[in-house]
Amino acid sequence: DSIDNGIEAHDSDMVVIEDSLINNTDTDTPSNGFGIAFYGCGNCSVQRNACTNNTNFAIICLGGNNCSVIDNIMHSVSNGIQLYTVQDAMVQENDVHTTYGLGIYLYDCDVANVIGNEVVGETELTNWGIGLVDCRNCGLIDNTISGTLPYGTYVDGGTVNQISGNTVENTGSYGIFLQSAGHVEVANNTVQGSVEYGFFAANSYSLHISGNMMEWFTYGMKLEYSYDVLIEENSVDHSATRGIYISYGGGEIQPISIVNNSCRYSGTGILLSQISYTALENNDCSDCTSGIALISSMVTDVWNCTADHCEQGLLLTESDGSTIIGGSYCQSLINGIYLSGSNSVRIEGAN
């Protein structure tokens, strides 16, 4: 008890730490306070340990390769698990209850998977549940994240990462957050709790967002300055302000496609602002204040979408070169389809 670090290993290989209890690592030195710490180690395994009352990360790996952190319990810890510049790692089925900072944090890692963990933010001082910063070929898969966390999952930079099958139920601003990230698969996640944004992405590219459920938030999904995006088969119903909101980004070479999404009972089902060369197909935006709204969004194709029982079904404002083919915009209180300052618009077969 009351030691700087529980277990340390430096420049070692094939170290196994199992079935140990590390309690009350408490220090005023910022570089200490770890439960289990590896520095430049390879082929290491940390399994079935219990870390409690740590003032820094419960388990940390700095450098090295082939690291596994499996089935550990971390309660009343300031931060849970950190992997820093590690290649080939597995973080699986850990139970992390953090009181300050970060649940699981990977920085500059390559081929690391975070699978089946439970992360709980216990106080208002926590930051994110699981985060990837400048990582490559990593996966956040089938994790459960809850509690008081401004960010459920947080991805900053990196490429070829996967976020799938997670359940996020946090109280904060963002369920799933991306910035400056590329080639990211965001699939089959469920975001609940009390957050402003179910999903948020900024300055990101080559995103595939599919099969997610993100209902009852202020914004179901918001993307800004993002390119080459496919959004399909998501449910963002009951979004108080906007179901899917995209501003800036897109373009003829890196377009945005929005297909087969449910955006019902929202303020605006789908809002596009100042983007171009976008395709909307088979989306259901019924029972909204405004079903679909295009504002200064050029060359947009709207195919077979539904926005029935809205105040305004489809609204185009200063959105030249758009095409509306098929679809249903029936029983609107004000207008089924309304155009303002939009030139060269083609409407065919709409009801």
Side-chain angles (χ1 to χ4, degrees):
D1 289 351
S2 297
I3 55 177
D4 283 348
N5 298 318
I7 300 173
E8 287 188 47
H10 291 258
D11 302 316
S12 301
D13 190 56
M14 299 185 70
V15 176
V16 178
I17 302 173
E18 296 179 344
D19 302 309
S20 300
L21 170 63
I22 299 96
N23 180 59
N24 198 22
T25 54
D26 190 0
T27 178
D28 292 330
T29 305
S31 60
N32 290 325
F34 303 116
I36 299 170
F38 290 104
Y39 300 89
C41 297
N43 303 296
C44 296
S45 174
V46 182
Q47 296 191 51
R48 301 185 306 277
N49 302 282
C51 299
T52 60
N53 302 311
N54 307 119
T55 60
N56 208 314
F57 281 94
I59 299 171
I60 185 168
C61 300
L62 299 176
N65 62 83
N66 194 21
C67 172
S68 63
V69 181
I70 299 173
D71 196 21
N72 300 280
I73 297 174
M74 287 149 272
H75 285 188
S76 299
V77 298
S78 293
N79 301 283
I81 299 167
Q82 181 183 19
L83 305 184
Y84 189 99
T85 316
V86 175
Q87 293 189 2
D88 192 7
M90 174 68 74
V91 179
Q92 186 172 9
E93 295 181 356
N94 299 282
D95 184 0
V96 181
H97 289 231
T98 178
T99 59
Y100 182 90
L102 315 174
I104 299 173
Y105 172 31
L106 277 61
Y107 176 80
D108 191 26
C109 293
D110 194 5
V111 193
N113 289 303
V114 181
I115 301 175
N117 301 277
E118 180 176 348
V119 179
V120 179
E122 294 187 329
T123 73
E124 294 181 356
L125 300 175
T126 55
N127 194 346
W128 67 59
I130 302 176
L132 302 178
V133 177
D134 292 335
C135 293
R136 302 156 301 280
N137 304 294
C138 294
L140 307 182
I141 302 168
D142 295 335
N143 301 284
T144 300
I145 302 164
S146 63
T148 306
L149 295 160
Y151 304 88
T153 65
Y154 180 95
V155 177
D156 186 353
T159 186
V160 195
N161 294 308
Q162 178 185 1
I163 305 170
S164 65
N166 301 285
T167 299
V168 182
E169 189 172 356
N170 60 309
T171 299
S173 298
Y174 305 95
I176 298 173
F177 177 92
L178 274 66
Q179 67 177 3
S180 304
H183 298 282
V184 182
E185 175 96 11
V186 182
N188 302 317
N189 301 282
T190 299
V191 181
Q192 301 168 333
S194 177
V195 296
E196 186 174 1
Y197 301 92
F199 172 84
F200 180 91
N203 300 297
S204 297
Y205 62 94
S206 297
L207 308 179
H208 183 200
I209 306 163
S210 66
N212 302 283
M213 180 174 289
M214 302 174 177
E215 299 180 350
W216 296 97
F217 302 126
T218 305
Y219 298 87
M221 297 182 181
K222 182 178 180 183
L223 293 84
E224 56 187 36
Y225 296 102
S226 295
Y227 304 87
D228 183 22
V229 178
L230 172 59
I231 302 172
E232 62 175 346
E233 297 181 353
N234 303 281
S235 179
V236 294
D237 295 343
H238 301 281
S239 298
T241 302
R242 286 148 190 170
I244 297 174
Y245 175 29
I246 304 177
S247 60
Y248 304 98
E252 187 172 7
I253 298 175
Q254 296 178 305
I256 294 173
S257 298
I258 305 170
V259 182
N260 291 329
N261 299 282
S262 180
C263 310
R264 302 184 65 186
Y265 307 107
S266 300
T268 300
I270 298 173
L271 172 61
L272 308 181
S273 176
Q274 302 193 53
I275 65 174
S276 59
Y277 293 94
T278 304
L280 283 69
E281 184 175 0
N282 292 327
N283 301 286
D284 189 352
C285 301
S286 298
D287 302 291
C288 296
T289 304
S290 295
I292 300 170
L294 313 180
I295 300 175
S296 300
S297 294
M298 310 301 177
V299 195
T300 301
D301 292 332
V302 183
W303 300 327
N304 299 315
C305 291
T306 302
D308 294 336
H309 307 107
C310 300
E311 289 188 11
Q312 295 199 102
L314 174 60
L315 170 66
L316 281 71
T317 302
E318 297 180 356
S319 297
D320 297 346
S322 296
T323 302
I324 297 97
I325 302 294
S328 177
Y329 308 94
C330 298
Q331 301 183 46
S332 301
L333 293 179
I334 302 175
N335 297 296
I337 299 175
Y338 178 80
L339 280 66
S340 175
S342 299
N343 302 311
S344 302
V345 173
R346 176 188 174 197
I347 302 173
E348 179 182 332
N351 295 316

